[in-house]
Amino acid sequence: MKKIILIIFIGALISLQYSLSSSLYWIGNSGNFDDAAHWSNTSGGSSCSCIPTVTDDVFFDVNSFSLANQAVTVSSNSLSKGMDWTGVLNNPSLNGSAELHISGDLKLVGAMDLNYNGNLYFEGNVLGRKITSSGKTFIGNIIFNNSDGEWILQDNFTSTKSIFLEAGIFNTNNKTVTISCFWSDNTNLRGLVLGSSLFNITESAGSHYITFGYIYGWFVNSTNFNLSSATSTIRFTSNNNIYIYTGNNLVYQNLEFTGNNLSTNSITGSNFFNEINSIGNTTLYGNNTINLFKVSSGATIDGNNVFKKAILGENNFYGNFIINDNNTFDTLILNQGRTYTFEYNQTQIINKLLQASGSCTELITFNTNEVYSPANIQMPSTSTAILNYIVFKNINANGGATFNANNSSDIASNTGINFITPLSKTMYWVGGAGNWSEVSHWSATSGGSGGYCIPTIYDNVVLDANSFTDSLQSISINALAYCKNF
């Protein structure tokens, strides 16, 4: 008998819950969301003298607005289950800055304006909730906050502010997402399903946390966080200095940094990445596994990382590279005109190919961060080292590979490298005042055209009557400078 009574009681509670759930319709043009006079139980009906609760679906439809450019204002913290603007006329808008909590679906339409800049909370405990933006741009923060909830985008999503994934699953459903920052820093059950989405992070200043001159663009605590990255791309588009904390032991696909070459990006965490591609200067912290690491301007690599392929300094931007700790590369490609500083007493293992090809106008420099202690480059006998126009200092090459360095300079304390001595050249300074490293000031003849080569330890340097165009002109030694006879 007690079990029967209990079952009846539970059934009654469920029935009561559903009986309390209702649909409310906005009426009467402009007004505040919490004004009971604007809500009806039927479309275009009379006021029910009630306001929406978490169990009420709210509708803004053909009978809600009879005048143009009317506004619904969220002036106090407000609740609803679902929110649907299908069928509205006269271009109404959603305004306000107080909190809005939605536990069901959200459907916006093209025939409305979105001027609401408050915090929008999605809090339902049901899987498969839908968000339809219809091209509208959100201007407030978006917070997902129920461990049992799931929210699925139905179209592309744009916000000038940030997404905070506090709890539950955010499924981008292969759509394009454009926001200022993504933040998920707690230990609640959370999931991010990206599919083939392009996830744009704009990192606009003032939208989120700033520390040590960096703006947080992406911050993930990986405890109880599940990432399904599939074939997605996370793209950071700002020219600001961006800090990215990726959590640990997660699988990312593609990270892109498309800001200019003066920007600085910092990536912290120990994860798998398919590709990291950056124009700006990039610092990598952690023990990562990366299929392709491609940085144009400059980089600092910290941690014991594994790279299938790394291309450092591909484009003609400024910036040098610091490689710390012990890293492993299948292929490492280094480019002309750059300095590569390897941490002393640490070993860089290169399994297949080291390609470092400078030119006589743009030398490559290999050195260490400690004057008297070498850095190790270890390559097996089956690997290939292509070395041209390099200045070596404190580099110990070993492992069985042949290290033939063509047109390269043995400055100090190098071992394991076969230096193939080039023919000595004579170079003339031309063009008046300038920096030693500027190739435009070096000519093959006295008073001739610049652009010849930059002197190495094998080359003679001549300053003569044709070198300067005015009195009191000077040559600035702006980088390590070498020559044979001066």
Side-chain angles (χ1 to χ4, degrees), residues 55-171:
T55 62
D56 300 316
D57 289 308
V58 299
F59 296 89
F60 303 86
D61 66 3
V62 65
N63 295 312
S64 296
F65 306 97
S66 59
L67 301 174
N69 302 316
Q70 299 295 287
V72 178
T73 302
V74 183
S75 58
S76 64
N77 293 348
S78 301
L79 305 170
S80 78
K81 187 181 177 184
M83 178 182 288
D84 191 337
W85 289 72
T86 300
V88 293
L89 303 175
N90 297 312
N91 195 47
S93 65
L94 180 64
N95 294 359
S97 57
E99 293 179 3
L100 179 59
H101 298 252
I102 296 177
S103 60
D105 297 345
L106 173 64
K107 186 174 184 179
L108 306 178
V109 295
M112 64 174 290
D113 289 329
L114 184 62
N115 300 315
Y116 171 70
N117 63 1
N119 289 336
L120 177 56
Y121 289 81
F122 291 95
E123 295 180 319
N125 60 351
V126 178
L127 299 179
R129 292 303 191 190
K130 299 176 181 178
I131 300 174
T132 304
S133 301
S134 297
K136 300 304 170 184
T137 296
F138 294 84
I139 57 176
N141 291 318
I142 309 298
I143 300 100
F144 298 101
N145 193 26
N146 193 307
S147 294
D148 296 321
E150 179 193 29
W151 302 273
I152 304 174
L153 296 183
Q154 302 302 297
D155 53 10
N156 294 340
F157 183 93
T158 300
S159 175
T160 61
K161 291 293 184 67
S162 303
I163 285 180
F164 294 84
L165 181 56
E166 299 293 328
I169 301 170
F170 177 42
N171 187 339

Side-chain angles (χ1 to χ4, degrees), residues 183-403:
W183 194 274
S184 189
D185 183 23
N186 59 65
T187 58
N188 299 328
L189 291 174
R190 294 152 295 136
L192 178 61
V193 181
L194 294 177
S196 60
S197 286
L198 171 60
F199 209 115
N200 293 307
I201 304 292
T202 62
E203 311 101 2
S204 55
S207 297
H208 36 73
Y209 301 102
I210 300 177
T211 183
F212 301 117
Y214 287 83
I215 298 175
Y216 281 105
W218 185 276
F219 197 102
V220 168
N221 182 332
S222 52
T223 301
N224 293 325
F225 181 88
N226 180 63
L227 173 63
S228 177
S229 58
T231 59
S232 61
T233 297
I234 302 171
R235 178 178 295 162
F236 299 87
T237 62
S238 174
N239 293 330
N240 296 317
N241 296 333
I242 306 305
Y243 180 79
I244 302 100
Y245 181 72
T246 56
N248 295 304
N249 302 314
L250 299 174
V251 176
Y252 290 86
Q253 288 306 304
N254 306 315
L255 261 63
E256 295 180 357
F257 298 88
T258 60
N260 64 37
N261 61 299
L262 300 178
S263 62
T264 299
N265 311 302
S266 178
I267 306 171
T268 299
S270 297
N271 301 284
F272 170 86
F273 297 91
N274 181 46
E275 290 188 11
I276 297 177
N277 194 331
S278 177
I279 293 175
N281 193 293
T282 301
T283 299
L284 182 67
Y285 296 104
N287 303 323
N288 299 282
T289 299
I290 304 172
N291 281 342
L292 175 62
F293 184 63
K294 187 176 179 181
V295 182
S296 297
S297 294
T300 298
I301 297 174
D302 280 323
N304 301 313
N305 300 279
V306 177
F307 302 90
K308 186 172 183 180
K309 186 176 184 179
I311 304 174
L312 306 182
E314 182 179 44
N315 295 319
N316 292 322
F317 296 130
Y318 294 105
N320 296 313
F321 294 81
I322 299 171
I323 303 175
N324 295 325
D325 301 304
N326 300 301
N327 299 278
T328 300
F329 306 82
D330 275 357
T331 297
L332 177 59
I333 298 177
L334 310 177
N335 286 279
Q336 60 187 21
R338 306 302 182 91
T339 295
Y340 299 90
T341 301
F342 301 93
E343 186 175 8
Y344 74 98
N345 291 337
Q346 303 297 300
T347 299
Q348 311 307 316
I349 298 174
I350 305 170
N351 291 319
K352 294 182 179 179
L353 173 65
L354 169 60
Q355 179 176 308
S357 294
S359 68
C360 79
T361 59
E362 294 186 279
L363 303 173
I364 293 175
T365 299
F366 280 20
N367 62 21
T368 70
N369 58 353
E370 214 287 330
V371 176
Y372 300 107
S373 299
N376 301 305
I377 296 178
Q378 179 178 310
M379 299 180 64
S381 60
T382 55
S383 62
T384 301
I386 301 174
L387 308 171
N388 292 294
Y389 289 100
I390 301 173
V391 176
F392 287 94
K393 186 176 182 180
N394 287 342
I395 301 298
N396 175 27
N398 58 68
T402 299
F403 294 86

Side-chain angles (χ1 to χ4, degrees), residues 26-52:
W26 182 266
I27 56 173
N29 293 306
S30 288
N32 291 330
F33 193 92
D34 60 354
D35 186 347
H38 282 283
W39 293 106
S40 172
N41 288 320
T42 59
S43 175
S46 58
S47 171
C48 62
S49 297
C50 58
I51 60 174

